[in-house]
Amino acid sequence: RETPSAPAVEDGELSWTYAELAQQAEHVADALRGRVAPGDLVGVCLDRSVALVAVAVGLARLGAVYLPLGPTPGERRLATVTERLGVPCLIGDPGLLPAAYRAGERQALALPTAGANAAGQVTAAFGPAAAAPPAVPEGTFYAVLTSGSTGTPKAVAVGGGSLASMLRGYAERIGSGPGDRHSLLVGVSFDPHVKELWAALTSGAALSVPPEEVRWDPDALTDWWRRAGVTVAVLPTPLAESVFARPWPALPALRHLVVGGDRLRTWPAPEVTARVHNAYGPAEATVMSTMHALDAGREDTGTPPPIGSPVAGVAVCVTDDEGRIVPRGTPGELRIGGAGLSLGYLDRELTARRFVAPPPGLTGPDAEGGTGIDRVYRTGDRVRMRADGVLEFLGRMDDQVKVSGVRIEPAEVEAAFEHDPRIRRAVVAARTTGEGVVELIAFVQPHPGQEPPAAAELVRGVRDWLPAQAVPAVVRQVTDFPLDTNGKVDRAALLAADAPDAAPAPARGEGPRSATEQLVLRVCGEVLGGGTEIGLDGSFRDAGGTSLAAARLLAALEESCGVRLRAPELLRQPDLRGLAALLDARRATA
C-alpha cells in the first residue's frame, strides 16, 4: 500500500511491482474462490517465477494451504500424494497433471508466462473428492513434504504464526528491507524457498529469479549475483561449499549469504566479503531454528562450523535417551520448542511420536506470545551445546549403525577422514553383505588439484581417530556426490553405484577421431569416476552426471582447452561427440 511501484519480483530484464503482484494474486484468489475453501490443500507444481509468487500470495489471501510440489514432481509421486492427502486442486502446467485431474474441471490462470523458469501455461485443475482425507490443522498456512523412513513422504503443516515468528527471527539477524534483492534460488519442493519468498515480501525487498543453470554452476551463480545485484542469498550446503572452494569474486552488493540444508564442513575464506550464516532447522520447526554468523578470523576453523544459537522465538535443549537435559558439552538429541514449531504432521499418530512434552525446566516463547512451552519436537539430530550456548551438529541419531556390536556414528568417521588436508569431504554409509555382516564404506572427495591419496594411506590415518570397529572396510574415491531433490547427499545412490553386481555401462559406438574427442572422453571419465565408462555417442547426464559433476566438467574443459562453456550449452549437446565439436568450433573463433 505504501510503495506500490516498488519492485516485488525481478527476472532478468523483466520486473513486476508490488501493485502488479497484488493484482495477479487477487486474480488467483478470484479464480479459486468458491471451489477452494479456507484450509484446503492446493498443490503447486510451478518453478521459481513470478507466477509461483503470485499463487503463494493468492492462496494466502484465500486462506487455502500452499503445498509446494515442484515443477516436475513425477507422475506416480504426484498421483500418490494427491490421492493420499486428498488435494482438491492442483496448479501448474496442464501437461503435467495426473489423469484424475485431467478429466475434471480446469480453470486457466492469466499469469505471466515470460521468465527464466516460467511455465508456458498455468492451470488450476480440480480433482475428485477424496473419501477420507487427513484433517488439516486449523491455522495451517503452508504444508511441505519431507522424506519418510518408509519411503512415503510425510506432510508437515506449518501455521501462519510459526512462519511469522521465524521471519521475525530471520529479519533480526539479516536486517532486510526496501532496496534489498533476495535470491529465489532454492528448489520449490524444498521448504527453504518459503523463507526466501516471504522474507523478501514481508520486508519490502524484491525477489530475484535466477536462470536454471546458476543452481549447479558456481561461476554462473556468482556472475548472476553480480548481474542481478543480489544482496541476500540462500544456498544449499553442497553448492555453497563449491562456491567457497573457488576464488571469491568481487560482489560488492552481496551482504548476507545464508547456507543450510546439510552439514557444513567448509569455512569461508577471509576474502569472502559477504557475511556468511550457517542456518539449521527442520521443516517441523519452520525452516530455521538456529543460525551462526561465521567468522574464520576469530573462530577455530579446525572443526566444522557450528549451527549456532536459537533465533528469536525458539527454545532448544539437548537431551539423553530418556528426554532429560544433559550438561553442556555432552552430546545428545536436539529438541526444539517455542513459537517456531509447526502444527505437526497430517498424521496424528506420527505427530504424537515426534512432538512430545518438554523436559522440566525448559522455558521460552510460545505461539500465543506467552512463556510456557507445552511441547518440543524431537529432531533425531545429535548435537553438542558448547559452554557459550552455541550448538555443534554431530550427525543423525538414526544414522548410527552397529558394527561388531559397537554403535558407530558415521559423522564421526567422516570427520576422521576430513582431518587429512587433501580430503575435501567424506561421506560414510553402511552396507550389509550377503552373509549379514555390516560394513562401512567411505566415499572420499579430494580437494581439486590435490594428488589423490591411496586408500591404504587414508585408512592408516583414520586409525588414530577411531575405534577399530569404526574403520571402514572399503574406501572409494569420488569426484562428486549425487544429490537428492533437497540438495543433500544421496547415500543410497552412492551405495547402489558401488554395489558388487553393478556392472559399468559399456563404452558404445566408434572411438575418438580427434584429439578433442579423446580429451572430452578422458575428462568425462575422470569427472564421473567410479569405473563409469561412457562412449562418445553417450550423454553425460545419461551416464550419471550430477549437477555438481557438470560444473566440474566445465571447469576441467576450460583448464584443458581455454574455452569456457556455459551450462545450457552443455545441456543441449545430445552426446559427447557434439560436445567435442562445440569445443573445436569455439576454439577456432577464439
Side-chain angles (χ1 to χ4, degrees):
R1 293 188 188 100
E2 294 177 4
T3 55
S5 61
V9 182
E10 296 177 338
D11 189 336
E13 299 299 318
L14 303 171
S15 180
W16 294 268
T17 66
Y18 271 90
E20 290 168 331
L21 177 62
Q23 186 177 25
Q24 295 166 10
E26 196 57 35
H27 166 69
V28 172
D30 287 342
L32 301 183
R33 196 170 279 116
R35 294 301 311 267
V36 172
D40 280 352
L41 292 170
V42 177
V44 180
C45 304
L46 295 172
D47 207 346
R48 296 151 293 115
S49 60
V50 67
L52 174 77
V53 180
V55 168
V57 177
L59 294 179
R61 290 186 171 188
L62 198 59
V65 178
Y66 174 71
L67 175 65
L69 299 172
T72 54
E75 186 172 354
R76 289 185 179 179
R77 175 180 171 84
L78 189 57
T80 300
V81 168
T82 52
E83 182 179 349
R84 186 168 58 85
L85 298 182
V87 178
C89 177
L90 281 181
I91 295 178
D93 188 317
L96 299 176
L97 300 175
Y101 291 81
R102 287 197 297 266
E105 181 185 346
R106 288 189 276 179
Q107 170 75 52
L109 300 180
L111 294 173
T113 56
N117 316 298
Q121 184 180 351
V122 182
T123 297
F126 305 94
V136 177
E138 185 178 354
T140 300
F141 188 85
Y142 73 89
V144 65
L145 302 179
T146 67
S147 298
S149 57
T150 62
T152 302
K154 301 173 292 187
V156 182
V158 179
S162 300
L163 177 61
S165 176
M166 184 274 291
L167 292 172
R168 282 192 293 268
Y170 186 59
E172 285 183 10
R173 303 283 185 107
I174 299 299
S176 172
D180 275 312
R181 288 182 173 87
H182 287 236
S183 63
L184 186 61
L185 179 135
V186 178
V188 175
S189 60
F190 193 25
D191 64 318
H193 91 277
V194 175
K195 177 176 69 178
E196 288 184 299
L197 192 154
W198 287 106
L201 296 185
T202 56
S203 65
L207 281 163
S208 192
V209 180
E212 175 62 22
E213 64 266 20
V214 313
R215 299 181 66 220
W216 53 275
D217 185 335
D219 284 339
L221 172 65
T222 53
D223 286 348
W224 172 72
W225 279 342
R226 184 187 305 106
R227 192 169 63 248
V230 172
T231 61
V232 180
V234 177
L235 278 188
T237 305
L239 183 53
E241 290 181 332
S242 293
V243 171
F244 294 154
R246 307 175 75 84
W248 186 256
L251 293 167
L254 186 64
R255 296 188 298 109
H256 294 281
L257 176 56
V258 182
V259 179
D262 207 340
R263 184 161 67 103
L264 181 64
R265 293 161 165 82
T266 306
W267 287 80
E271 294 76 26
V272 175
T273 51
R275 188 71 160 154
V276 179
H277 307 264
N278 190 26
Y280 162 89
E284 291 85 349
T286 316
V287 186
M288 188 184 71
S289 304
T290 68
M291 204 174 189
H292 190 76
L294 304 183
D295 187 344
R298 301 175 58 186
E299 300 185 72
D300 177 15
T301 58
T303 57
I307 59 174
S309 55
V311 299
V314 174
V316 300
C317 60
V318 184
T319 67
D320 60 17
D321 292 342
E322 303 300 321
R324 298 170 297 208
I325 296 177
V326 300
R328 294 192 178 190
T330 303
E333 181 183 14
L334 176 61
R335 301 192 184 204
I336 302 174
L341 277 194
S342 72
L343 298 171
Y345 300 103
L346 301 186
D347 179 329
R348 291 184 179 179
E349 183 180 342
L350 183 58
T351 300
R353 289 204 306 269
R354 303 300 296 180
F355 292 81
V356 299
L362 181 65
T363 60
D366 60 20
E368 282 73 40
T371 57
I373 291 181
D374 59 353
R375 63 192 184 122
V376 292
Y377 170 65
R378 297 188 58 183
T379 65
D381 288 329
R382 191 164 173 264
V383 301
R384 179 191 297 111
M385 184 180 288
R386 301 188 324 204
D388 60 1
V390 171
L391 293 167
E392 297 175 336
F393 184 85
L394 303 178
R396 286 287 300 168
M397 305 287 288
D398 51 15
D399 280 345
Q400 291 183 346
V401 295
K402 243 183 189 179
V403 180
S404 301
V406 176
R407 283 205 168 274
I408 304 297
E409 174 60 67
E412 182 182 0
V413 185
E414 293 165 359
F417 280 97
E418 290 163 5
H419 283 298
D420 190 308
R422 295 166 296 180
I423 298 302
R424 178 180 177 184
R425 184 171 190 182
V427 172
V428 172
R431 177 170 68 194
T432 303
T433 67
E435 293 75 33
V437 177
V438 176
E439 63 178 10
L440 295 179
I441 302 176
F443 300 89
V444 298
Q445 179 189 36
H447 280 287
Q450 292 277 4
E451 183 67 26
E457 182 185 353
L458 286 173
V459 170
R460 284 196 299 271
V462 301
R463 289 189 189 279
D464 292 337
W465 297 91
L466 301 170
Q469 296 88 344
V471 177
V474 180
V475 177
R476 298 278 189 251
Q477 181 186 318
V478 298
T479 55
D480 221 328
F481 292 105
L483 305 180
D484 61 20
T485 55
N486 289 341
K488 299 183 180 182
V489 173
D490 191 336
R491 284 176 167 79
L494 279 172
L495 289 173
D498 192 67
D501 57 350
R508 298 166 293 172
E510 185 183 349
R513 298 176 298 202
S514 68
T516 305
E517 290 184 352
Q518 286 180 331
L519 172 70
V520 168
L521 204 56
R522 176 180 61 78
V523 172
C524 283
E526 291 172 353
V527 167
L528 291 171
T532 302
E533 295 186 23
I534 179 173
L536 284 163
D537 60 345
S539 158
F540 179 75
R541 266 186 163 177
D542 292 345
T546 65
S547 58
L548 293 179
R552 289 173 62 84
L553 173 62
L554 292 174
L557 291 174
E558 180 182 18
E559 183 177 345
S560 301
C561 304
V563 174
R564 176 62 179 174
L565 299 179
R566 307 302 281 177
E569 295 175 312
L570 173 62
L571 294 175
R572 284 196 293 266
Q573 302 310 312
D575 51 32
L576 298 191
R577 208 178 294 279
L579 178 60
L582 178 63
L583 284 171
D584 282 336
R586 195 61 55 81
R587 279 197 293 192
T589 58

